[in-house]
């Protein structure tokens, strides 16, 4: 799964890299947790627009917004058939932007878990494949999103059996285009990212609490 991630570049740097319009409020983040706002980019097939969306997808048919807490991730396998995600998969695909994500590895004592941060070797931000929905049953519409996961690559497999789908730049427009309906091609994009372009390192256990939000969380430590 992908349950915590980071995005620390300023918005102008992100706009330069991903070429999107943005009119929302944004702050760099070191410990993004479910139900919080994340930077997502969508497209109408011509222009890219960035927005801050609630992390944890609320299907349009849901009676209670709390279902979003269980929908922070969507497994890629059979995604086009799952009631919670199939409608968004057809028309409401987006990029969820990050520059690293955290996972936890259980140590030999069977109790302690060591957090790791996964990043690109060049340390650039990257785009995770996401879906979004608009829920209108509350007093105010909620636009929420989920991050799609796939099987692990060689960098992630010894820590967790899932990883977020990270898209290559040449797939961005296809993935976001609501008019693109080739299901098989879309599914072909939902694969592990090349391991030789990524690396991981151990970080402080302070990241365990979403209340902790500071640059210190990004610093490497000696793994146990």
């Amino acid at each position: 799964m992908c349950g915590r991630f980071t995005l620390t570049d300023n918005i102008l740097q992100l706009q330069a890299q991903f070429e999107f319009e943005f009119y929302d409020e944004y702050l760099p983040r070191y410990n993004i947790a479910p139900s919080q706002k994340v930077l997502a980019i969508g497209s109408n097939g011509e222009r890219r627009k960035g927005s801050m969306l609630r992390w944890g997808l609320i299907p349009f048919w849901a009676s209670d917004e709390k279902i979003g807490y269980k929908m922070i991730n969507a497994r890629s396998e059979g995604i086009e058939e799952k009631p919670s995600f199939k409608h968004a998969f057809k028309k409401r695909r987006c990029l969820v932007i990050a520059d690293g994500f955290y996972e936890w590895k259980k140590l030999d004592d069977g109790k302690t878990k060591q957090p790791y941060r996964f990043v690109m070797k060049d340390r650039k931000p990257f785009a995770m494949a996401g879906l979004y929905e608009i829920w209108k049953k509350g007093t105010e519409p909620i636009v929420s999103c989920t991050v799609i996961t796939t099987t692990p690559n060689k960098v992630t497999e010894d820590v967790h059996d899932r990883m977020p789908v990270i898209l290559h730049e040449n797939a961005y427009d296809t993935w976001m285009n609501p008019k693109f309906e080739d299901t098989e091609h879309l599914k072909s994009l939902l694969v592990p990212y090349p391991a030789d372009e990524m690396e991981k390192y151990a970080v402080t256990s302070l990241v365990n609490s979403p209340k902790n939000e500071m640059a210190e969380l990004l610093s490497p430590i000696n793994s146990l």
Side-chain angles (χ1 to χ4, degrees):
M1 66 179 293
C2 174
R4 212 77 68 75
F5 64 95
T6 63
L7 184 59
T8 60
D9 278 18
N10 69 54
I11 194 63
L12 294 179
Q13 291 172 310
L14 294 170
Q15 284 182 284
Q17 179 177 341
F18 295 99
E19 300 178 340
F20 63 96
E21 300 175 6
F22 188 76
Y23 306 101
D24 216 330
E25 295 183 2
Y26 165 87
L27 288 173
R29 293 291 312 279
Y30 304 98
N31 196 7
I32 301 170
S35 80
Q36 297 178 354
K37 293 293 184 74
V38 301
L39 175 61
I41 302 173
S43 172
N44 61 6
E46 298 178 2
R47 295 185 304 160
R48 299 177 183 179
K49 181 181 178 182
S51 302
M52 302 302 294
L53 307 187
R54 176 169 160 175
W55 185 17
L57 186 139
I58 308 170
F60 68 88
W61 45 259
S63 59
D64 190 332
E65 66 182 83
K66 292 180 181 178
I67 193 175
Y69 291 105
K70 300 178 181 180
M71 302 287 180
I72 64 169
N73 292 152
R75 293 176 69 93
S76 60
E77 297 87 348
I79 194 170
E80 77 281 7
E81 299 174 352
K82 296 175 182 176
S84 297
F85 306 118
K86 64 181 182 180
H87 299 287
F89 181 70
K90 288 180 180 179
K91 295 288 186 181
R92 292 179 290 279
R93 300 179 299 271
C94 63
L95 309 179
V96 179
I97 308 303
D99 59 13
F101 62 93
Y102 299 110
E103 291 292 357
W104 284 257
K105 180 178 182 178
K106 187 176 290 187
L107 301 183
D108 293 339
D109 63 10
K111 299 178 181 179
T112 309
K113 289 185 177 182
Q114 171 62 53
Y116 285 83
R117 185 172 183 243
F118 295 82
V119 296
M120 294 296 147
K121 286 184 176 178
D122 63 10
R123 294 300 194 273
K124 287 185 178 180
F126 50 86
M128 301 183 290
L131 306 174
Y132 71 94
E133 279 284 10
I134 304 172
W135 188 73
K136 298 181 179 179
K137 290 189 171 68
T139 55
E140 294 288 340
I142 298 175
V143 186
S144 60
C145 65
T146 189
V147 173
I148 300 176
T149 66
T150 185
T151 52
N153 61 19
K154 292 295 183 183
V155 175
T156 60
E157 66 182 6
D158 69 326
V159 176
H160 203 280
D161 62 358
R162 304 293 293 179
M163 69 176 292
V165 172
I166 299 172
L167 296 172
H168 292 274
E169 185 177 356
N170 59 12
Y172 292 171
D173 288 327
T174 297
W175 179 255
M176 290 187 290
N177 188 347
K179 299 177 183 178
F180 190 87
E181 298 180 344
D182 185 337
T183 298
E184 292 306 310
H185 181 77
L186 291 169
K187 287 170 59 180
S188 74
L189 303 176
L190 306 180
V191 295
Y193 198 77
D196 60 2
E197 296 182 31
M198 297 179 63
E199 61 186 23
K200 70 176 181 290
Y201 60 88
V203 295
T204 173
S205 60
L206 289 173
V207 76
N208 295 355
S209 172
K211 294 180 180 179
N212 292 326
E213 176 71 36
M214 69 282 276
E216 179 185 350
L217 301 181
L218 308 186
S219 299
I221 63 169
N222 294 324
S223 58
L224 302 177

